[in-house]
Amino acid sequence: MGRSVKSIFVRAGYLLRARVDCVTQISSESLSSVSRLTLADDRSAIAKIGPLAAGKAHMLEAMRGRGVPTPAILGVEGELLILEDLPATGRLA
């Protein structure tokens, strides 16, 4: 991952137009990580950091266009993909 994690979350706050107050790591692998962002305005979002963020965003949009339930894309830039934080209901749809 090219940029520092701190600068990525500062950029996430800019893209979401809100200050990121808390970052909770959900998973991490050698090339990517997933974190929940808690924003100052009480919203939350999921940040995926890793290669091919734009490609993943394109794939999610294509799936959504075919009626597959996917999280909304809130922002994408470089290696940062920000997604809607969906409630964990234990169900797929």
Side-chain angles (χ1 to χ4, degrees):
M1 289 181 267
R3 293 189 259 176
S4 76
V5 172
K6 182 178 179 182
S7 70
I8 289 171
F9 292 121
V10 167
R11 188 65 190 157
Y14 177 79
L15 291 171
L16 294 168
R17 294 188 172 104
R19 187 180 73 243
V20 176
D21 278 349
C22 181
V23 176
T24 305
Q25 188 169 345
I26 296 171
S27 72
S28 180
E29 298 176 9
S30 60
L31 294 176
S32 64
S33 69
V34 178
S35 298
R36 177 171 284 109
L37 309 177
T38 303
L39 308 175
D41 61 8
D42 292 327
R43 291 182 296 152
S44 63
I46 300 297
K48 295 184 73 154
I49 303 168
L52 308 174
K56 291 176 184 178
H58 180 73
M59 176 192 64
L60 287 169
E61 287 294 331
M63 291 169 63
R64 181 177 281 244
R66 297 212 180 253
V68 177
T70 62
I73 297 167
L74 304 178
V76 61
E77 180 183 278
E79 59 189 19
L80 174 62
L81 173 60
I82 306 171
L83 302 170
E84 170 186 23
D85 187 5
L86 298 173
T89 62
R91 297 181 353 188
L92 293 176

